[in-house]
Amino acid sequence: MPVLSLRQPPSSRPILRLAPPTPSSALVRRVSSQALLEGKRELVIQHHGSEYHLRLTRNDKLILTK
């Protein structure tokens, strides 16, 4: 009776190489919520003709709604 093997020989396994990590601070601009809100509880952001509201809740969470 023939035997079926599901394992691949080690020579046929692909080699995965990861790119070296890049510092995220160089790629993304960071702004504090205090600087954006300037002591207020809501900020209106205009984007492509639409308005988005960034609100600070009573529990100090941020909510962005359209």
Side-chain angles (χ1 to χ4, degrees), residues 30-49:
R30 296 186 184 275
V31 179
S32 72
S33 60
Q34 291 88 1
L36 283 174
L37 294 169
E38 297 178 338
K40 306 286 194 250
R41 307 237 10 126
E42 184 174 354
L43 170 70
V44 177
I45 302 168
Q46 295 179 339
H47 179 70
H48 293 290

Side-chain angles (χ1 to χ4, degrees), residues 15-32:
I15 297 173
L16 298 177
R17 298 183 194 270
L18 299 176
T22 58
S24 63
S25 60
L27 302 175
V28 178
R29 185 178 137 200
R30 296 186 184 275
V31 179
S32 72

Side-chain angles (χ1 to χ4, degrees), residues 33-34 36-45 51-66:
S33 60
Q34 291 88 1
L36 283 174
L37 294 169
E38 297 178 338
K40 306 286 194 250
R41 307 237 10 126
E42 184 174 354
L43 170 70
V44 177
I45 302 168
E51 287 190 349
Y52 295 82
H53 297 259
L54 181 65
R55 292 184 180 95
L56 181 63
T57 69
R58 283 180 261 175
N59 295 325
D60 286 329
K61 304 282 184 184
L62 291 174
I63 298 177
L64 181 65
T65 56
K66 187 171 181 182

